[in-house]
């Protein structure tokens, strides 16, 4: 009888152990996802001050700022950059009626004039810092009597000088060095000088 009781006791102890171990749920560890670095693609943001319309809404990355077919002068611009992958900025300069080349400005400051009714006739732009080693800044302008001029880049002059013609619109793009530059149906670097 003792051996039967001890066997029963032994069975009930082992079954309670089985029950306890069967109630445990072992969850395998999930492998950690590797951190993928965020790839930043910079944007160029700009807005134009236009005769009778004042400051137009800001646009970016190759969109038109200004007017076409309305014979309205561009009077000033502001250009800034966002989502930069590296340190850098943008500098730009306006050639303005009666003033010629004005001082360079940068990163969202105004180039050109407002409230003076003076036309912008040409612009120059360039990138600064490490950004300039990785990207080019391309820009083109729409000029009175000529229409769209070709794309220029990195400090080259876009527009006219000595004609007294107004800029009416512009487009600006950032292009990673080595990538295709913007294309257009007009020759590039069409600049008229004194």
């Amino acid at each position: 009888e003792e051996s039967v009781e001890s066997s029963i006791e032994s069975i009930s102890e082992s079954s309670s152990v089985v029950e306890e171990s069967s109630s445990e749920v072992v969850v395998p560890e999930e492998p950690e996802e590797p951190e993928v670095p965020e790839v930043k693609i910079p944007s160029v943001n700009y807005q134009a001050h236009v005769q009778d319309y004042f400051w137009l809404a800001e646009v970016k990355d190759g969109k038109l700022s200004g007017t076409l077919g309305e014979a309205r002068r561009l009077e000033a611009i502001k250009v800034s950059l966002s989502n930069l992958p590296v340190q850098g900025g943008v500098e730009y300069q306006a050639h303005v009626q009666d003033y010629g080349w004005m001082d360079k400005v940068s990163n969202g400051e105004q180039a050109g004039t407002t409230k003076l009714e003076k036309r912008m006739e040409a612009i120059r732009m360039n990138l600064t810092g490490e950004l300039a080693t990785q990207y080019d800044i391309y820009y083109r302008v729409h000029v009175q009597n000529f229409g769209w001029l070709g794309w220029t880049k990195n400090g080259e002059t876009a527009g006219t000088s000595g004609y007294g013609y107004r800029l009416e619109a512009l487009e600006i793009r950032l292009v990673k060095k080595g990538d295709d530059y913007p294309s257009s149906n007009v020759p590039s670097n069409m600049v008229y000088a004194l």
Side-chain angles (χ1 to χ4, degrees), residues 133-162:
T133 67
Q134 297 182 19
Y135 285 85
D136 294 315
I137 186 164
Y138 281 85
Y139 42 98
R140 70 175 184 160
V141 293
H142 189 276
V143 177
Q144 171 188 0
N145 295 332
F146 286 119
W148 284 109
L149 301 186
W151 288 97
T152 58
K153 68 174 185 169
N154 301 338
E156 297 171 347
T157 299
T160 64
S161 179

Short mmCIF file of all heavy atoms in Angstrom, two decimals, residues 133-162:
data_model
loop_
_atom_site.label_atom_id
_atom_site.label_comp_id
_atom_site.label_asym_id
_atom_site.label_seq_id
_atom_site.Cartn_x
_atom_site.Cartn_y
_atom_site.Cartn_z
N THR A 133 30.23 70.60 -52.91
CA THR A 133 31.07 69.52 -53.44
C THR A 133 30.24 68.34 -53.91
O THR A 133 30.74 67.46 -54.60
CB THR A 133 32.09 69.03 -52.38
OG1 THR A 133 31.39 68.38 -51.32
CG2 THR A 133 32.94 70.17 -51.86
N GLN A 134 28.95 68.30 -53.53
CA GLN A 134 28.09 67.17 -53.87
C GLN A 134 26.96 67.51 -54.83
O GLN A 134 26.40 66.63 -55.47
CB GLN A 134 27.50 66.57 -52.59
CG GLN A 134 28.55 66.01 -51.66
CD GLN A 134 27.95 65.38 -50.43
OE1 GLN A 134 26.77 65.04 -50.39
NE2 GLN A 134 28.76 65.20 -49.40
N TYR A 135 26.59 68.79 -54.91
CA TYR A 135 25.46 69.20 -55.74
C TYR A 135 25.81 70.42 -56.58
O TYR A 135 26.69 71.20 -56.22
CB TYR A 135 24.24 69.54 -54.87
CG TYR A 135 23.56 68.32 -54.31
CD1 TYR A 135 24.00 67.74 -53.13
CD2 TYR A 135 22.47 67.74 -54.97
CE1 TYR A 135 23.40 66.60 -52.61
CE2 TYR A 135 21.86 66.61 -54.46
CZ TYR A 135 22.33 66.05 -53.29
OH TYR A 135 21.73 64.92 -52.79
N ASP A 136 25.11 70.57 -57.71
CA ASP A 136 25.16 71.78 -58.53
C ASP A 136 23.81 72.47 -58.40
O ASP A 136 22.78 71.81 -58.26
CB ASP A 136 25.38 71.43 -60.01
CG ASP A 136 26.76 70.82 -60.26
OD1 ASP A 136 27.75 71.36 -59.72
OD2 ASP A 136 26.83 69.81 -60.99
N ILE A 137 23.81 73.79 -58.49
CA ILE A 137 22.55 74.53 -58.53
C ILE A 137 22.37 75.04 -59.95
O ILE A 137 23.23 75.72 -60.50
CB ILE A 137 22.49 75.67 -57.48
CG1 ILE A 137 21.10 76.31 -57.47
CG2 ILE A 137 23.60 76.70 -57.68
CD1 ILE A 137 20.81 77.16 -56.26
N TYR A 138 21.28 74.64 -60.58
CA TYR A 138 20.92 75.05 -61.94
C TYR A 138 19.76 76.03 -61.87
O TYR A 138 18.85 75.86 -61.05
CB TYR A 138 20.48 73.85 -62.78
CG TYR A 138 21.62 73.01 -63.31
CD1 TYR A 138 22.18 72.00 -62.54
CD2 TYR A 138 22.11 73.22 -64.59
CE1 TYR A 138 23.22 71.22 -63.03
CE2 TYR A 138 23.15 72.43 -65.10
CZ TYR A 138 23.69 71.44 -64.31
OH TYR A 138 24.71 70.68 -64.81
N TYR A 139 19.78 77.03 -62.75
CA TYR A 139 18.70 78.01 -62.77
C TYR A 139 18.57 78.56 -64.19
O TYR A 139 19.53 78.58 -64.95
CB TYR A 139 18.96 79.15 -61.77
CG TYR A 139 20.38 79.64 -61.74
CD1 TYR A 139 20.76 80.79 -62.45
CD2 TYR A 139 21.37 78.95 -61.05
CE1 TYR A 139 22.07 81.25 -62.44
CE2 TYR A 139 22.68 79.39 -61.03
CZ TYR A 139 23.04 80.54 -61.73
OH TYR A 139 24.33 80.98 -61.72
N ARG A 140 17.34 78.95 -64.52
CA ARG A 140 17.11 79.60 -65.80
C ARG A 140 16.06 80.67 -65.62
O ARG A 140 15.26 80.63 -64.67
CB ARG A 140 16.71 78.60 -66.88
CG ARG A 140 15.33 78.00 -66.73
CD ARG A 140 15.03 77.12 -67.93
NE ARG A 140 13.69 76.59 -67.87
CZ ARG A 140 13.03 76.13 -68.92
NH1 ARG A 140 13.59 76.12 -70.11
NH2 ARG A 140 11.80 75.65 -68.80
N VAL A 141 16.07 81.63 -66.52
CA VAL A 141 15.17 82.78 -66.40
C VAL A 141 14.40 82.98 -67.70
O VAL A 141 14.87 82.64 -68.79
CB VAL A 141 15.94 84.07 -66.04
CG1 VAL A 141 16.52 83.97 -64.63
CG2 VAL A 141 17.04 84.38 -67.04
N HIS A 142 13.22 83.56 -67.55
CA HIS A 142 12.40 83.97 -68.69
C HIS A 142 12.56 85.49 -68.79
O HIS A 142 12.29 86.21 -67.83
CB HIS A 142 10.94 83.60 -68.43
CG HIS A 142 10.07 83.79 -69.63
ND1 HIS A 142 9.51 84.99 -69.97
CD2 HIS A 142 9.66 82.91 -70.58
CE1 HIS A 142 8.78 84.85 -71.06
NE2 HIS A 142 8.86 83.59 -71.45
N VAL A 143 13.02 85.94 -69.97
CA VAL A 143 13.38 87.35 -70.16
C VAL A 143 12.49 87.99 -71.21
O VAL A 143 12.19 87.38 -72.24
CB VAL A 143 14.87 87.46 -70.60
CG1 VAL A 143 15.25 88.91 -70.87
CG2 VAL A 143 15.78 86.86 -69.55
N GLN A 144 12.10 89.21 -70.94
CA GLN A 144 11.34 90.02 -71.90
C GLN A 144 12.00 89.94 -73.28
O GLN A 144 13.21 90.09 -73.40
CB GLN A 144 11.32 91.47 -71.39
CG GLN A 144 10.77 92.49 -72.34
CD GLN A 144 10.98 93.91 -71.83
OE1 GLN A 144 11.52 94.13 -70.76
NE2 GLN A 144 10.51 94.87 -72.60
N ASN A 145 11.22 89.70 -74.31
CA ASN A 145 11.63 89.66 -75.72
C ASN A 145 12.49 88.45 -76.10
O ASN A 145 12.71 88.22 -77.28
CB ASN A 145 12.36 90.94 -76.16
CG ASN A 145 11.46 92.15 -76.11
OD1 ASN A 145 10.24 92.04 -76.26
ND2 ASN A 145 12.05 93.31 -75.89
N PHE A 146 13.00 87.67 -75.14
CA PHE A 146 13.78 86.48 -75.46
C PHE A 146 13.09 85.20 -75.05
O PHE A 146 13.37 84.15 -75.58
CB PHE A 146 15.16 86.52 -74.77
CG PHE A 146 16.12 87.50 -75.39
CD1 PHE A 146 16.62 88.55 -74.64
CD2 PHE A 146 16.52 87.38 -76.71
CE1 PHE A 146 17.52 89.45 -75.19
CE2 PHE A 146 17.42 88.27 -77.27
CZ PHE A 146 17.90 89.32 -76.50
N GLY A 147 12.22 85.25 -74.06
CA GLY A 147 11.62 84.03 -73.53
C GLY A 147 12.60 83.32 -72.60
O GLY A 147 13.46 83.94 -71.99
N TRP A 148 12.47 81.99 -72.53
CA TRP A 148 13.35 81.21 -71.65
C TRP A 148 14.76 81.20 -72.21
O TRP A 148 14.98 80.85 -73.36
CB TRP A 148 12.85 79.78 -71.51
CG TRP A 148 11.67 79.64 -70.61
CD1 TRP A 148 10.39 79.34 -70.98
CD2 TRP A 148 11.65 79.78 -69.19
NE1 TRP A 148 9.58 79.30 -69.88
CE2 TRP A 148 10.32 79.57 -68.76
CE3 TRP A 148 12.62 80.10 -68.23
CZ2 TRP A 148 9.94 79.64 -67.42
CZ3 TRP A 148 12.24 80.17 -66.89
CH2 TRP A 148 10.92 79.94 -66.50
N LEU A 149 15.73 81.52 -71.36
CA LEU A 149 17.13 81.34 -71.70
C LEU A 149 17.55 79.96 -71.21
O LEU A 149 16.85 79.33 -70.42
CB LEU A 149 17.99 82.43 -71.06
CG LEU A 149 17.64 83.87 -71.44
CD1 LEU A 149 18.67 84.83 -70.84
CD2 LEU A 149 17.56 84.06 -72.96
N GLY A 150 18.71 79.51 -71.65
CA GLY A 150 19.18 78.18 -71.27
C GLY A 150 19.54 78.09 -69.80
O GLY A 150 19.74 79.08 -69.11
N TRP A 151 19.66 76.85 -69.30
CA TRP A 151 20.04 76.59 -67.92
C TRP A 151 21.48 77.03 -67.70
O TRP A 151 22.35 76.77 -68.53
CB TRP A 151 19.92 75.11 -67.59
CG TRP A 151 18.50 74.65 -67.48
CD1 TRP A 151 17.77 74.03 -68.46
CD2 TRP A 151 17.65 74.74 -66.33
NE1 TRP A 151 16.51 73.75 -67.98
CE2 TRP A 151 16.41 74.17 -66.68
CE3 TRP A 151 17.82 75.26 -65.05
CZ2 TRP A 151 15.35 74.09 -65.79
CZ3 TRP A 151 16.76 75.19 -64.16
CH2 TRP A 151 15.53 74.61 -64.54
N THR A 152 21.72 77.70 -66.59
CA THR A 152 23.07 78.03 -66.16
C THR A 152 23.28 77.42 -64.78
O THR A 152 22.32 76.92 -64.17
CB THR A 152 23.29 79.55 -66.12
OG1 THR A 152 22.33 80.12 -65.24
CG2 THR A 152 23.15 80.17 -67.48
N LYS A 153 24.52 77.45 -64.27
CA LYS A 153 24.76 76.81 -62.98
C LYS A 153 25.93 77.44 -62.25
O LYS A 153 26.79 78.08 -62.85
CB LYS A 153 25.01 75.31 -63.16
CG LYS A 153 26.32 74.98 -63.85
CD LYS A 153 26.58 73.49 -63.87
CE LYS A 153 27.94 73.20 -64.47
NZ LYS A 153 28.36 71.84 -64.30
N ASN A 154 25.94 77.23 -60.94
CA ASN A 154 27.09 77.49 -60.08
C ASN A 154 27.78 78.83 -60.31
O ASN A 154 28.97 78.89 -60.59
CB ASN A 154 28.11 76.35 -60.22
CG ASN A 154 27.52 75.01 -59.85
OD1 ASN A 154 26.54 74.92 -59.14
ND2 ASN A 154 28.14 73.95 -60.36
N GLY A 155 27.04 79.91 -60.18
CA GLY A 155 27.64 81.24 -60.25
C GLY A 155 27.65 81.89 -61.61
O GLY A 155 28.03 83.06 -61.74
N GLU A 156 27.22 81.17 -62.64
CA GLU A 156 27.15 81.78 -63.97
C GLU A 156 25.99 82.77 -64.01
O GLU A 156 25.04 82.68 -63.23
CB GLU A 156 26.93 80.70 -65.04
CG GLU A 156 28.08 79.71 -65.14
CD GLU A 156 27.76 78.52 -66.03
OE1 GLU A 156 26.57 78.33 -66.39
OE2 GLU A 156 28.69 77.78 -66.36
N THR A 157 26.05 83.71 -64.95
CA THR A 157 25.01 84.74 -65.07
C THR A 157 23.86 84.23 -65.92
O THR A 157 24.08 83.69 -67.01
CB THR A 157 25.60 86.01 -65.69
OG1 THR A 157 26.64 86.50 -64.84
CG2 THR A 157 24.54 87.09 -65.85
N ALA A 158 22.65 84.43 -65.43
CA ALA A 158 21.43 84.11 -66.20
C ALA A 158 20.64 85.40 -66.35
O ALA A 158 20.29 86.04 -65.35
CB ALA A 158 20.59 83.07 -65.46
N GLY A 159 20.39 85.79 -67.58
CA GLY A 159 19.65 87.02 -67.83
C GLY A 159 20.36 87.86 -68.85
O GLY A 159 21.16 87.36 -69.65
N THR A 160 20.10 89.16 -68.83
CA THR A 160 20.70 90.08 -69.80
C THR A 160 21.31 91.27 -69.08
O THR A 160 20.97 91.58 -67.95
CB THR A 160 19.64 90.59 -70.80
OG1 THR A 160 18.67 91.36 -70.08
CG2 THR A 160 18.96 89.46 -71.54
N SER A 161 22.20 91.92 -69.77
CA SER A 161 22.81 93.14 -69.27
C SER A 161 22.99 94.06 -70.47
O SER A 161 23.43 93.61 -71.52
CB SER A 161 24.15 92.82 -68.62
OG SER A 161 24.76 93.99 -68.15
N GLY A 162 22.61 95.32 -70.33
CA GLY A 162 22.77 96.27 -71.42
C GLY A 162 21.59 96.35 -72.35
O GLY A 162 21.59 97.16 -73.29
#
